[in-house]
Amino acid sequence: MTADDGDDGAADVDDEEVRHVASLARVDLEEAEVERFAAQFADILEYFEALEEVPDVDADAELTNVMRPDEVREGLTQEEALRNAPETEDGYFVGPRVS
Amino acid sequence: MSDVFITEAEIEPTGSGPLDGVTVAVKDNISTDGVRTTCGSAMLADYVPPYDATVVERLTEAGATVVGKTNMDEFGMGTTTETSAFGPTENPTAPGRVPGGSSGGSAAAVAAGEVDLALGSDTGGSVRCPAAFCGVVGIKPTYGLVSRYGLVAYANSLEQIGPLAPTVEAAAGALDVMAGVDDRDATTREPPTEASYADAADGDVEGLTVGVATELLEGADEGVRECFEDALEELREQGATTETVSLPSVETAVQAYYVIAMSEASSNLARFDGVRYGPATETDGDWNDAFAAVREEGFGEEVKRRVLLGTYALSAGYHDKYYEQAQDARAWVKQDFDSAFEDVDVLASPTMPVPPFELGESLDDPLQMYLADANTVPVNLANLPAISVPAGETAEGPVGLQLVGPAFGEETLVRAGSALA
């Protein structure tokens, strides 16, 4: 499946593609999940193909900037911000190693 | 403990007002200071927010007591409340069946008489679907009428917090308290009138023009259709007129909705990495491995499915094909509804095309479940207000009638809805 194979649709999703997207999204999957998702994604992406038929619409979003003065105000305390972390040290979050 | 609550609590009123003595159930994706807020997910099983959502602040200031946090589809992703990591909720008015979703616990709490009022959130029908399935009233406000501050985000551009109650008047009274500008949510606006929504619940539909979109009736189950036709007849007997309208854009609304909601979800749920909150996991690898491990453990299957499909739709090479086209489809829906409101005051349809599913019935086939949202998702795509009111029952359970109005037209919806409930 590639971005421009519009002719034969998106009905073809293999396990490798599911694993690739899962790695982009940082979600480990079990083997059974990979297989289920491959079949389901094929159905769902094929259904999304109908979006090809949408006509061009001339629409201007009504957007207004909402500004406020940049003033210091009370926020969470350090203790509150750290309260839900599984691991903290010296007032910091502990994260996994980066490499 | 009843299966409508994930956590029972007692958050006392902080003030006195129109909700004195009223008990409220709050969906578990709306933050409550010091009371755990799980979003129906193992990822947040132990998460205790350090602040209240604006809506919780406003309800307790107006005299309400919050008695619990209600069960829901995980992060709002579902139509049955069965994707909750805390187990399903049974529909109190249709035994053996689901209460709808994703705000299923909130609707069930109201239907069972456990609370006077409940809060849900509606991203693609998550207030209106359970309201319809449980035979109660649910309002999805116009985008921007109610603050989303403290609502754990699933798809920001689509969602609003809305009230569920036994009557239109009670739901409208809650909306009066919840609505209005909040400087912590820059998308909020003041309601267009000073008048109270509750006061509009006078049932006066004399001269009201109700449009019936053929496209939103086509897929409806026969029993649902009969209830819907009876409710329309009731409106006509009270002085409303009905006319057929066409909304061709709704034919691609479900596709557009799911592409946009999944895309936004894939971005919003990136924050759940097990560092600031989430379960502790042990891995030997680097941060990529650690995040992937905690997200496998913390997310259920429907959440993974949506995060992955959203990631796919936004990935290089597919962005234009899915996400951009979905935005065009969204603009088309908005234009279609806007032009319908040049001729009619409100649009009516069955809220759900089907009666409540049996518990377990729809878990295997995600696409079938998505299709059940056909009548509710166009409203979120168009940023419009809608109300679901009870419209009779089939042998399988309650049926809801959905009324959709122009942006900030809640007063008209309350007036029209109160002619039926």
Side-chain angles (χ1 to χ4, degrees), chain B residues 117-130:
Chain B
L117 186 73
L119 295 185
S121 64
D122 190 313
T123 310
S126 285
V127 164
R128 291 161 286 155
C129 161

Side-chain angles (χ1 to χ4, degrees), chain A residues 1 3 26 36 40 84 97, chain B residues 284 288 301 305 312 317:
Chain A
M1 181 170 56
R26 308 289 188 275
R36 256 199 318 278
Q40 291 168 351
N84 285 286
R97 62 188 173 81
Chain B
D284 296 328
N288 285 311
E301 187 158 324
R305 190 157 33 238
Y312 181 84

